[in-house]
Amino acid sequence: MTFRPQMRDWQSTEQHRTSLTKSGTSIASDMIGSEADLSKVSVGLLNSVELTDEAIDFLETIFDEFDGDFDKVLQPRELEELFSTAPESPWIENPYKDAVGRNIFGELSLDAFLSEWALMTLLNPTLSVESLINIGYPGFVFGPRKAGKSALLNSFIGRPYSEAYNETNEDRFAVNIVDISRENKKYLVLREISEGGVTKLLANKKSLASCDIAIFVYDRSDESSWKASYELLLKIVRHGEDTGFQVPCLMVAAKDDKDSFTMVIEEETTVSQDMEVDAPIPISVKLGNFNNVFHRIVSAAEPPHLSIPETEAGKTHKPFHTVIDRSLKFVSAVVAVAFVVVVARKNVAARKNASG
């Protein structure tokens, strides 16, 4: 399994370029949230929006990864696979459907592929960013200060380990491709939730609707870090039970190169058994021992009805749960739905009605 250090970014041109991502955090936070949050992204009448070189590099990587037969074009089935984690392909309707040239087999060249993204970014930058997020698995990364959240994200995008501690005061993102197998590659979006951002996140009842998996990181050598992470786990699980937006959860025991507290190890086992989730994944970013953590994150996100923890109250009083279930797209006559029964993932219909 390999991880290719690529990042995404967008810029706006008005005599000079202004970053839409505002240092890669605040606007991105809006974009990964609700439809109302997504609508905040706008550009003035005198502005044009274009993909940066970094974004183009990333899209070229996406193209290469999904070009399974290395014929320099994306076949219809390869495009279908690329957007398999989205509610639907953004290019099946006008103005994108017939905007670029295809060969007689309906295949897209790299230039045509990039042109589609360029057009979508120009006409609807919100849809462009939303579509990039949709073709992957969004994961929220929780944990107390100094737990190792930032180190985990940095390692995901190929940044070297550093002993220096820089506190994260706002949400940040790391994006990369995870090679599950030679022919199975997934796009993973990790969003680090700052310690102070948890309260704001949980104030929104639908905050977990855009989350495919929640990851809880703690310093295994620090008992207080474990307890704080466990409290965060309980908050997220209870929020999911109260709102119906339950998500799979994984615990990551960071800094495994240090001596672990015996009590922490015992409590880890008890919590995983009581809440019916996988045992914590021990990792050491410092030593480069990742224990296939990114592969396991994606694997846990794919069958979301597994790995969903429950509190004792949740087990006793089970409400109707809106479970994020991507597999329904393949079971229900290839109908692209991502939420069980009623709630469509990302609420595409609401977006279309708003634009209409």
Side-chain angles (χ1 to χ4, degrees):
M1 179 174 58
T2 59
F3 308 102
R4 296 171 175 79
Q6 300 284 348
M7 293 295 289
R8 72 175 191 276
D9 190 16
W10 287 262
Q11 292 183 330
S12 172
T13 303
E14 185 183 27
Q15 295 180 346
H16 66 281
R17 291 183 175 184
T18 303
S19 174
L20 272 179
T21 56
K22 291 186 179 178
S23 301
T25 52
S26 59
I27 290 296
S29 297
D30 292 336
M31 289 181 176
I32 204 166
S34 65
E35 292 296 328
D37 289 332
L38 283 166
S39 67
K40 294 178 183 178
V41 182
S42 62
V43 292
L45 293 176
L46 299 179
N47 290 359
S48 63
V49 182
E50 60 185 26
L51 294 168
T52 63
D53 292 340
E54 291 82 2
I56 292 173
D57 288 344
F58 181 77
L59 289 171
E60 288 177 348
T61 301
I62 290 285
F63 182 93
D64 290 340
E65 294 293 346
F66 283 90
D67 181 17
D69 51 5
F70 309 106
D71 59 356
K72 304 300 182 182
V73 292
L74 288 185
Q75 301 172 13
R77 63 173 181 80
E78 291 170 336
L79 275 174
E80 182 179 344
E81 171 62 20
L82 190 153
F83 290 113
S84 65
T85 54
E88 64 181 6
S89 168
W91 300 342
I92 60 176
E93 297 180 352
N94 290 327
Y96 311 109
K97 183 178 180 180
D98 298 314
V100 299
R102 298 172 183 252
N103 65 20
I104 59 174
F105 302 107
E107 300 167 333
L108 282 180
S109 66
L110 175 59
D111 286 344
F113 178 76
L114 294 176
S115 295
E116 284 278 38
W117 282 104
L119 177 62
M120 184 162 58
T121 304
L122 177 66
L123 299 181
N124 193 337
T126 296
L127 178 60
S128 181
V129 176
E130 184 185 28
S131 296
L132 268 178
I133 293 174
N134 276 337
I135 65 176
Y137 291 99
F140 289 9
V141 182
F142 298 94
R145 294 174 64 252
K146 298 184 178 181
K149 303 186 299 296
S150 294
L152 179 68
L153 268 69
N154 287 338
S155 67
F156 184 48
I157 56 175
R159 292 179 181 170
Y161 173 77
S162 173
E163 292 281 0
Y165 173 70
N166 296 305
E167 185 173 0
T168 302
N169 295 316
E170 53 187 3
D171 294 359
R172 56 165 294 207
F173 293 78
V175 186
N176 213 334
I177 294 169
V178 179
D179 294 344
I180 303 299
S181 65
R182 180 176 296 182
E183 297 182 352
N184 187 8
K185 306 175 191 298
K186 300 298 181 183
Y187 172 60
L188 178 62
V189 182
L190 293 180
R191 175 187 180 186
E192 178 182 351
I193 308 295
S194 63
E195 193 172 30
V198 175
T199 301
K200 179 181 178 181
L201 182 80
L202 297 184
N204 182 352
K205 291 183 178 181
K206 296 182 179 180
S207 59
L208 297 181
S210 59
C211 176
D212 284 349
I213 186 164
I215 302 115
F216 298 86
V217 182
Y218 59 93
D219 179 350
R220 202 175 198 182
S221 68
D222 185 345
E223 184 179 1
S224 63
S225 181
W226 154 251
K227 290 184 179 297
S229 186
Y230 173 56
E231 288 300 319
L232 287 170
L233 172 64
L234 288 178
K235 286 183 179 180
I236 297 304
V237 173
R238 288 168 181 159
H239 183 77
E241 291 174 344
D242 291 342
T243 63
F245 292 102
Q246 292 178 286
V247 295
C249 295
L250 281 182
M251 295 182 289
V252 175
K255 305 184 182 181
D256 194 46
D257 50 285
K258 298 181 178 181
D259 293 333
S260 302
F261 278 90
T262 302
M263 184 176 294
V264 170
I265 297 176
E266 293 174 351
E267 291 182 358
E268 288 174 343
T269 303
T270 301
V271 168
S272 60
Q273 291 175 347
D274 290 348
M275 301 190 76
E276 300 179 1
V277 294
D278 291 344
I281 304 170
I283 68 167
S284 171
V285 176
K286 181 177 181 179
L287 299 181
N289 297 332
F290 297 103
N291 208 1
N292 286 331
V293 64
F294 303 117
H295 182 288
R296 293 165 75 170
I297 288 171
V298 172
S299 296
E302 286 188 296
H305 58 287
L306 305 176
S307 305
I308 294 182
E310 292 181 311
T311 63
E312 287 302 319
K315 293 177 182 178
T316 305
H317 306 287
K318 286 189 176 182
F320 171 78
H321 294 306
T322 305
V323 181
I324 303 172
D325 190 355
R326 297 181 181 279
S327 62
L328 287 180
K329 289 184 293 183
F330 304 98
V331 176
S332 304
V334 200
V335 178
V337 292
F339 289 152
V340 172
V341 184
V342 177
V343 184
R345 190 179 186 283
K346 306 295 185 185
N347 207 338
V348 177
R351 187 181 69 230
K352 289 182 179 179
N353 290 337
S355 63

